[in-house]
Amino acid sequence: MLTRRSFVPLMFAAPTLLRAQAAVNRVVIDPLRVRASLDRRIWGSFLEHLGRAIYGGIYDPGSALADASGFRKDVAAEVRGMGVPIIRYPGGNFVSGYNWLDGVGPRDKRPTVLDRAWNSIETNQFGTNEFVTWSKSVGAEPLIGTNFGTAAPEMSAALVEYCNVPGGTKWSNLRREHGYAQPHAIKMWCLGNEMDGTWQIGHMPAREYGRKAVDAARQMRAVDPSVQLIACGSSGPGQPTFLEWDREVLEECYSQVDGISLHRYYGNDTAGETGGNSLKYLAMNLAMEEQIDQVAAVCEYVRKRTGSNKRLWLSFDEWNVWYRRRGGNGQRQQAPHLLEEEYNLEDALLVGGLVNALLRRSDKVRVACLAQLVNVIAPIVTNANGLLRQSIYYPYSWALESARGQALDALVESAAIEGIPAIDGAVTFDPATGQYCVLLLNRDLMQPREATLVFRDNAPTRTLRFDTLTGADLKAVNTFADPGKVKPASLESPGPSGRIVVRLPARSYSRLLLQAARA
Ligand code: AHR
């Protein structure tokens, strides 16, 4: 209901230019108000040695769908087509017990080991070189995590040497012996994973981690001064040490790192934060913005206190919906079915909202990874005969395809429902093509809402496409038997002008692509 008396409680406090008390829904777009030039790596993803992400996901040598290297052709084609810019690997929790040496060299000499993070059998038939080869084939940059759990900093530096030094040293010569004459030139590295978590192999106190990060960073940069290093931030706002961890870690290692990581998984559990309330669930993207602001504030605090001129950026390198398939015990099986979350329409709508949140905070977040990419809490699922696009595939692929160029600081005014803004929006403008992309979430579960897009300059001259993800059943899921339950539909294109009125279906996430008069 549109009402001037609606209010927004503090937990959903809106960012500066997002107002929820309005009587009409309005998105004011001024192309001169640029929030950030988008780093494409904000649309990254993640592949861990976990369940069927690698084995049976991207690598399946026994499959009729595999190429000569054992890579699934259908999966590689899909990921290439999506244009995923960067992929984090090999973990996740897995990396904290991983010896990268087990995964390189002749395959018949690689040991089969027990992965203690997921109680699974790891054959090591896929390792760093296979990942780099596969990533290049799909057009993605590798973001490599190193072991801060069981391994010494020396092994992080050895991996940088193995990957990035052309030759003439112990570890670079080993890579050459393994058949890779050219260095992999890997720029981005995560210094461990979720080391604040009691579940993490080698979990340690913040200051200890911070000192280890300094040691590893110095050694890694001694090998290759061009590397970009990401420190482990808190693994989520629910952690008892949230922000305290980040502050203490950064007080130790601020000068040695370039970014800090954030993680968060969202859910609509009846026993959880939302109590199963779908409206509250669809507002959880506002909590993502809050988390980003809080961690960014800690970075600024430490920057000032340490007198540094350098500004860190944020790497939101694990984000997604994940609350159903939480069990992580692989029962000592190889490639067990773990964390195979089935995503429904409301999950996809929230993922759309999270895309909007990342755009609105793209001045702070340089890298972000949808966790994960294939089979494990993933937009793509495989079986022996092919692959399935889950509901969350669509908002993610829209971001990859259309949210380009600059994130604009659009003013979004919206009516509120139970204190929550009905309309959530984000806008990009690509100076290379002169295209606007307007992404709109309608959180109203009952009725369509109109929104007026007001262009302050460079108004659109053509509507290129207007599509939406919606449906009658918020809990509908795609299956191999019925893969089209949740998929986008085209809406009637509104005529281009300086004021465009769009009608957004109830329970929907929509993408409007517009061609501007000028690039
Ligand atoms: O993505 C699944 C797991 O979630 C990762 O291994 C870990 O980093 C996080 O807790």
Side-chain angles (χ1 to χ4, degrees):
M1 197 169 67
L2 298 175
T3 160
R4 281 188 180 279
R5 280 179 299 157
S6 312
F7 70 99
V8 185
L10 205 54
M11 74 173 281
F12 293 119
T16 341
L17 290 180
L18 202 150
R19 299 208 316 238
Q21 288 99 329
V24 290
N25 305 313
R26 211 163 60 119
V27 183
V28 181
I29 300 163
D30 182 345
L32 293 177
R33 293 193 62 109
V34 177
R35 177 166 282 274
S37 273
L38 271 185
D39 190 319
R40 294 282 308 148
R41 292 176 291 189
I42 202 169
W43 306 133
S45 191
F46 174 33
L47 278 167
E48 178 168 1
H49 281 251
L50 196 185
R52 297 191 308 126
I54 302 293
Y55 305 104
I58 64 169
Y59 178 73
D60 200 357
S63 162
L65 298 169
D67 66 12
S69 305
F71 301 144
R72 281 276 296 241
K73 286 185 279 190
D74 54 342
V75 176
E78 183 76 36
V79 176
R80 196 178 305 117
M82 291 161 81
V84 181
I86 189 166
I87 302 177
R88 183 168 175 255
Y89 169 90
N93 297 340
F94 171 80
V95 77
S96 297
Y98 181 51
N99 182 350
W100 63 265
L101 279 169
D102 289 345
V104 294
R107 282 208 167 97
D108 59 351
K109 302 248 164 28
R110 298 186 195 176
T112 291
V113 300
L114 176 62
D115 156 26
R116 285 94 70 210
W118 303 105
N119 196 29
S120 302
I121 296 300
E122 171 57 56
T123 63
N124 283 304
Q125 292 302 294
F126 187 99
T128 307
N129 293 316
E130 286 80 22
F131 179 67
V132 171
T133 304
W134 181 84
S135 310
K136 283 189 180 150
S137 80
V138 299
E141 176 186 349
L143 163 57
I144 303 289
T146 67
N147 178 344
F148 264 57
T150 57
E154 184 185 13
M155 289 310 285
S156 295
L159 183 55
V160 175
E161 185 182 316
Y162 181 90
C163 289
N164 288 6
V165 171
T169 63
K170 173 179 166 179
W171 298 112
S172 60
N173 285 347
L174 185 64
R175 185 200 68 244
R176 294 173 72 95
E177 268 170 41
H178 291 161
Y180 298 85
Q182 295 307 315
H184 296 324
I186 292 164
K187 286 280 162 270
M188 304 283 267
W189 298 83
C190 288
L191 302 177
N193 177 70
E194 296 189 347
M195 297 307 296
D196 63 322
T198 48
W199 59 88
Q200 199 68 210
I201 295 174
H203 160 65
M204 62 185 79
R207 294 212 177 266
E208 199 179 311
Y209 168 78
R211 287 192 283 267
K212 189 166 180 175
V214 169
D215 188 10
R218 284 203 183 115
Q219 294 193 52
M220 292 163 87
R221 287 194 203 283
V223 175
D224 180 354
S226 73
V227 291
Q228 298 263 295
L229 303 177
I230 301 166
C232 271
S234 291
S235 52
Q239 283 292 93
T241 51
F242 180 57
L243 300 182
E244 199 63 15
W245 166 276
D246 305 77
R247 179 180 63 77
E248 291 186 2
V249 163
L250 291 179
E251 281 171 355
E252 297 293 332
C253 72
Y254 194 95
S255 64
Q256 296 295 330
V257 300
D258 303 287
I260 185 162
S261 69
L262 293 79
H263 290 180
R264 177 91 199 253
Y265 293 98
Y266 306 85
N268 194 17
D269 208 319
T270 42
E273 219 175 314
T274 62
N277 177 318
S278 296
L279 176 62
K280 283 189 186 160
Y281 181 50
L282 295 186
M284 290 195 97
N285 63 328
L286 304 179
M288 178 190 243
E289 284 173 274
E290 191 176 49
Q291 184 182 346
I292 291 168
D293 290 344
Q294 289 164 341
V295 175
V298 173
C299 291
E300 269 308 279
Y301 170 82
V302 179
R303 187 176 77 84
K304 185 68 187 160
R305 298 283 297 177
T306 55
S308 175
N309 289 327
K310 178 177 74 175
R311 281 214 151 81
L312 296 192
W313 40 262
L314 307 185
S315 174
F316 214 124
D317 47 42
E318 287 189 33
W319 68 271
N320 202 348
V321 168
W322 176 28
Y323 67 105
R324 304 171 184 95
R325 303 290 171 93
R326 295 291 301 196
N329 186 344
Q331 310 287 350
R332 307 207 168 175
Q333 300 298 302
Q334 200 184 312
H337 286 256
L338 285 185
L339 280 51
E340 298 204 5
E341 191 97 349
E342 281 193 329
Y343 290 110
N344 63 26
L345 172 62
E346 70 176 6
D347 300 330
L349 300 183
L350 176 60
V351 166
L354 295 166
V355 161
N356 288 5
L358 284 171
L359 282 172
R360 290 194 293 259
R361 289 296 178 271
S362 53
D363 51 337
K364 299 181 174 119
V365 180
R366 182 173 295 180
V367 176
C369 303
L370 175 72
Q372 298 191 10
L373 186 56
V374 184
N375 288 333
V376 171
I377 43 175
I380 301 167
V381 176
T382 63
N383 70 9
N385 307 316
L387 61 82
L388 172 73
R389 294 174 174 177
Q390 296 225 62
S391 63
I392 63 166
Y393 171 95
Y394 295 104
Y396 178 52
S397 67
W398 284 354
L400 282 162
E401 190 184 336
S402 307
R404 292 174 175 274
Q406 301 164 336
L408 299 185
D409 212 351
L411 168 72
V412 180
E413 293 181 312
S414 171
I417 310 165
E418 296 167 30
I420 292 169
I423 304 298
D424 182 289
V427 183
T428 60
F429 176 72
D430 187 355
T433 58
Q435 285 177 14
Y436 290 104
C437 170
V438 185
L439 295 164
L440 296 165
L441 169 65
N442 179 9
R443 296 194 184 96
D444 192 327
L445 304 177
M446 309 309 292
Q447 55 178 342
R449 296 264 173 165
E450 281 193 348
T452 305
L453 313 183
V454 180
F455 288 83
R456 291 284 186 231
D457 187 23
N458 202 10
T461 52
R462 202 151 48 99
T463 302
L464 301 172
R465 61 191 305 163
F466 187 21
D467 21 41
T468 196
L469 197 61
T470 187
D473 179 6
L474 280 173
K475 309 293 178 187
V477 298
N478 291 340
T479 59
F480 278 98
D482 194 352
K485 269 243 154 87
V486 186
K487 65 170 191 208
S490 290
L491 293 173
E492 196 186 326
S493 288
S497 83
R499 285 180 82 84
I500 298 176
V501 179
V502 290
R503 189 176 158 84
L504 305 169
R507 310 166 295 279
S508 68
Y509 184 67
S510 305
R511 165 181 67 167
L512 180 60
L513 268 187
L514 300 156
Q515 183 64 51
R518 302 186 306 277

